[in-house]
Amino acid sequence: MLTPPAAAHALLFASGEPLERKRVALLLGIKETEIGLVLKALTDSLKGSGVAVIETETDVELRTASEAALIVKKFRENELARDLGKASLETLAVIAYQAGATRGEIDWVRGVNSSASVRTLLMRGLIEGREDEHDRRRIRYYLTTEALAHLGIKSAADLPRAGELSAAAAAIKREETIQATE
Amino acid sequence: MLTPPAAAHALLFASGEPLERKRVALLLGIKETEIGLVLKALTDSLKGSGVAVIETETDVELRTASEAALIVKKFRENELARDLGKASLETLAVIAYQAGATRGEIDWVRGVNSSASVRTLLMRGLIEGREDEHDRRRIRYYLTTEALAHLGIKSAADLPRAGELSAAAAAIKREETIQATE
Amino acid sequence: METAISKIGFSIKTDSYEGPFEVLLDLIEARKLLVNDLALANITEDFIAHVRAQKTFPVDEAASFIQIAATLLLIKSKSLIPDLILSEDENVDVDDLKRRLAAYEKVREASRELARIFGKTVMMPAGERAPEIVFAPSSDLSIGALAEALAHVLAAHKTVEELPEARVKPLVTIEEMMDRLAKRVQTAMTLSFKDFAGSAKEKVEVIVSFLALLELVKQGAVAAEQHDLDIRISHTGTAVPRYS
């Protein structure tokens, strides 16, 4: 069994965003008047741990500690300066040659899970996601105009062997649609 | 100043995804041989905290602790695991208890072609394939932090009946190798 | 189909596909036997009945089912005809089947352990924050690299698709294997016919099983044809021959 501060820690960690104090209390099954004590205990237990609790009057959030600012900055810079690597290049290639590909389609064409790569590409401004016109839960991915400019092309049609590679990728993509509807 | 375990904690928290152990070592400015100790200290300090470190041979990721599953489920229900089919579970079991199993080894012991199961596991991000160090055409499969997280365990050592069943699985490797070289 | 199976009270699960080792273990466990020669000899007919009863056979599994059926028939024949001396290759097949079955038994146990815990207490990743987007291309990004990456993915996809068929051991066709085995056992039976006085019924069963299996291969649900060095096994149609 988790202590209330540990349970609050898990909740805040999984949320990623600020949570209302009263919502945390509700989820923990404690009174709103008790939440202050629980968060105080969590704050104390996280002292010097690299991660800290940020509280406002209404909300509470987990963040990297201010002492960690330097190493986190280094990490972010490293993240952006790194080579894309095989997985992200492949993912970008699928999106480049198949504009509007969905996560499911990218996974299918690559045969592996692409969530981390998609996230990296989004963060680096190389792709953007747009809701499908017909099905809002579906996100379709496209190269950003910046990415096209960086590649020195106006559209996907200017990519090397555009016709051939797009057609081959489209053929594989169709399999996914068939599988998904089965 | 942060201690190395606290700095690692901040990094893993800031990243929000699995990080390569060697990359963490690099960012912390420590030797690769020292990263194990740092992560061990972090794991110990997070005991009972609601958050835990998941480690594979190559990667490390911060996740909510398995004891927190019930409380976290309350607001991230939609992400919960779809069940795996019997074939995929068997394939996952071979790879779990025999890290680095090849397709040949999996097929040998299951008596059936496992390509569909391997593909399912790859697409769900539960396993990843890496080229064999000595023979690049051979792909070896390993559990991901995602797989461990779904099993609610921090490392492969925490698998049910790990010692006994790993020993049994090690026999698979020997047998298939003998067959393959014949 | 029903009678062949209900005879032993073993029902085949039709909802999910079972591999050959799984079928074998189910049959052995249903009879509360341990995995050994005796058990394998005991369940030979049931296994063949199962192979015959399959309406839809996964294309690339047909070969392993039939190969295992052949090995079981060897074990069964040996138990019926003590004079039958197995060749070195045949002994290897028998040993191999037993070892794989023992290993599979452990894997099945392991997978049941995993099924017990999988998805029960999922450890969640850190919640996602809306990413701060910074346009950050990399030195390894170029249109050439993209074309190469996609070509690589497409090639890998093709390899995966082709792999199942290539994995069938390209030594002989299924038909050749079955012919050889039929002759092999029939010869042995003729030679030691006098030993059969006491077990005529079982002898008939073995022969019937054999013929049924051969028929299955030759006219039935699967057709084997040799392409280059690989064996391809394909369904010839939906019509399944009846042996009742």
Side-chain angles (χ1 to χ4, degrees):
Chain A
M1 235 343 247
L2 287 176
T3 61
H9 186 203
L11 280 177
L12 293 170
F13 177 87
S15 152
E17 296 170 347
L19 286 179
E20 278 186 282
R21 300 167 74 96
K22 57 183 180 198
R23 180 142 182 248
V24 176
L26 193 74
L27 286 163
L28 294 183
I30 60 171
K31 292 191 201 112
E32 271 189 64
T33 49
E34 293 167 334
I35 189 72
L37 269 177
V38 169
L39 294 176
K40 169 84 170 59
L42 177 59
T43 300
D44 290 348
S45 73
L46 287 175
K47 201 155 278 170
S49 80
V51 169
V53 179
I54 311 290
E55 290 183 73
T56 67
E57 222 171 288
T58 52
D59 290 357
V60 52
E61 183 184 7
L62 214 54
R63 287 262 175 179
T64 48
S66 51
E67 305 96 283
L70 209 65
I71 187 134
V72 171
K73 182 162 174 268
K74 194 167 134 193
F75 167 69
R76 299 271 181 233
E77 282 168 1
N78 177 271
E79 196 78 323
L80 296 176
R82 302 174 85 206
D83 274 354
L84 285 175
K86 188 164 158 270
S88 294
L89 265 181
E90 281 180 10
T91 304
L92 189 62
V94 175
I95 297 167
Y97 284 88
Q98 280 298 309
T102 63
R103 253 292 308 286
E105 287 163 355
I106 300 165
D107 287 354
W108 181 262
V109 172
R110 292 191 58 221
V112 294
N113 188 282
S114 305
S115 60
S117 296
V118 166
R119 208 175 136 179
T120 301
L121 295 170
L122 282 170
M123 221 152 62
R124 297 179 71 156
L126 295 167
I127 60 168
E128 59 188 353
R130 291 183 221 145
E131 282 172 0
D132 184 279
E133 282 175 26
H134 306 292
D135 179 356
R136 293 230 156 167
R137 290 160 308 172
R138 266 173 111 90
I139 307 290
R140 300 196 167 277
Y141 295 98
Y142 302 85
L143 291 199
T144 58
T145 45
E146 289 93 337
L148 287 170
H150 178 82
L151 291 167
I153 55 175
K154 284 208 201 74
S155 75
D158 300 333
L159 286 164
R161 297 157 66 197
E164 170 208 343
L165 289 174
S166 295
I172 296 172
K173 203 176 81 174
R174 266 196 302 282
E175 289 169 22
E176 201 270 338
T177 320
I178 293 162
Q179 291 263 327
T181 52
E182 259 172 9
Chain B
M1 226 352 237
L2 287 175
T3 62
H9 187 205
L11 273 182
L12 291 169
F13 178 79
S15 146
E17 7 182 274
L19 287 181
E20 279 185 280
R21 299 166 77 96
K22 57 182 178 201
R23 191 161 166 227
V24 177
L26 194 75
L27 286 161
L28 294 183
I30 60 172
K31 290 191 201 117
E32 270 186 53
T33 47
E34 293 166 336
I35 189 70
L37 271 177
V38 169
L39 294 175
K40 171 86 170 58
L42 177 58
T43 296
D44 289 347
S45 74
L46 287 174
K47 203 157 274 170
S49 79
V51 167
V53 178
I54 297 185
E55 291 183 69
T56 68
E57 230 171 285
T58 51
D59 289 0
V60 49
E61 187 181 6
L62 213 55
R63 292 256 181 168
T64 56
S66 57
E67 305 89 70
L70 208 64
I71 190 136
V72 171
K73 202 161 97 181
K74 287 181 186 165
F75 72 101
R76 286 184 74 169
E77 209 147 12
N78 50 347
E79 288 174 44
L80 279 187
R82 277 168 301 146
D83 273 347
L84 280 177
K86 211 161 50 173
S88 298
L89 264 173
E90 276 183 15
T91 303
L92 188 69
V94 178
I95 298 165
Y97 288 91
Q98 182 58 62
T102 63
R103 256 291 306 285
E105 285 159 5
I106 300 165
D107 287 357
W108 184 87
V109 69
R110 294 193 58 230
V112 294
N113 185 303
S114 304
S115 63
S117 303
V118 167
R119 194 173 152 84
T120 300
L121 295 171
L122 283 170
M123 284 181 41
R124 286 186 56 174
L126 296 171
I127 60 168
E128 60 183 0
R130 295 204 290 272
E131 284 169 357
D132 183 277
E133 282 175 28
H134 306 293
D135 179 358
R136 295 205 134 199
R137 291 160 309 171
R138 260 178 118 88
I139 307 290
R140 300 196 166 277
Y141 295 98
Y142 300 86
L143 291 195
T144 58
T145 53
E146 176 82 0
L148 294 174
H150 274 86
L151 295 169
I153 56 177
K154 286 185 272 197
S155 77
D158 296 336
L159 284 164
R161 296 159 65 196
E164 175 208 345
L165 291 172
S166 294
I172 296 168
K173 199 165 190 170
R174 269 199 310 281
E175 291 288 358
E176 208 278 332
T177 317
I178 294 163
Q179 297 250 323
T181 51
E182 263 169 8
Chain C
M1 161 186 166
E2 288 300 325
T3 48
I5 295 150
S6 57
K7 184 172 71 181
I8 50 145
F10 172 75
S11 68
I12 288 163
K13 299 175 197 99
T14 44
D15 55 331
S16 71
Y17 164 72
E18 297 203 325
F21 291 166
E22 201 173 2
V23 172
L24 277 179
L25 277 190
D26 284 348
L27 287 169
I28 291 170
E29 278 174 14
R31 295 182 162 211
K32 300 194 167 54
L33 297 171
L34 296 171
V35 179
N36 54 30
D37 282 353
L38 185 67
L40 291 171
N42 254 312
I43 52 126
T44 300
E45 279 96 337
D46 296 333
F47 185 80
I48 290 166
H50 174 87
V51 174
R52 290 169 59 192
Q54 289 290 310
K55 283 210 177 80
T56 52
F57 229 128
V59 172
D60 45 327
E61 313 304 9
S64 41
F65 268 99
I66 289 167
Q67 205 151 19
I68 287 164
T71 306
L72 287 176
L73 279 168
L74 274 179
I75 296 170
K76 178 83 183 174
S77 308
K78 174 75 183 159
S79 80
L80 292 176
I81 318 165
D83 286 356
L84 182 70
I85 309 289
L86 299 188
S87 72
E88 204 171 308
D89 281 353
E90 288 166 343
N91 271 321
V92 167
D93 282 350
V94 171
D95 284 348
D96 187 48
L97 177 63
K98 283 190 279 190
R99 277 204 312 272
R100 290 174 75 178
L101 211 49
Y104 176 72
E105 208 175 7
K106 286 290 176 194
V107 165
R108 191 155 82 158
E109 259 178 64
S111 80
R112 283 172 180 168
E113 292 284 358
L114 295 195
R116 198 167 49 75
I117 58 173
F118 187 86
K120 296 294 187 295
T121 55
V122 180
M123 301 164 78
M124 290 290 184
E128 291 215 37
R129 289 162 204 275
E132 282 170 51
I133 295 165
V134 182
F135 181 66
S138 65
S139 55
D140 62 345
L141 177 58
S142 66
I143 51 172
L146 285 184
E148 202 181 303
L150 187 63
H152 178 258
V153 167
L154 296 174
H157 201 87
K158 210 175 261 174
T159 318
V160 170
E161 297 294 297
E162 282 166 3
L163 215 52
E165 284 162 339
R167 290 203 60 83
V168 177
K169 279 194 177 167
L171 297 174
V172 289
T173 66
I174 303 291
E175 283 158 308
E176 279 166 2
M177 181 182 79
M178 293 310 298
D179 273 343
R180 216 161 57 191
L181 197 58
K183 281 192 195 114
R184 170 89 178 79
V185 175
Q186 273 162 0
T187 312
M189 280 175 178
T190 319
L191 285 178
S192 60
F193 197 77
K194 58 182 188 310
D195 298 334
F196 269 115
S199 58
K201 189 171 165 285
E202 275 185 296
K203 184 195 75 174
V204 170
E205 277 176 13
V206 171
I207 294 169
V208 167
S209 300
F210 246 134
L211 295 179
L213 199 58
L214 287 169
E215 211 177 323
L216 173 82
V217 174
K218 284 178 177 161
Q219 327 163 355
V222 286
E225 47 175 329
Q226 207 160 6
H227 277 292
D228 304 323
L229 281 173
D230 299 336
I231 295 173
R232 283 171 185 269
I233 297 150
S234 56
H235 284 268
T236 49
T238 46
V240 175
R242 296 192 168 274
Y243 300 99
S244 49

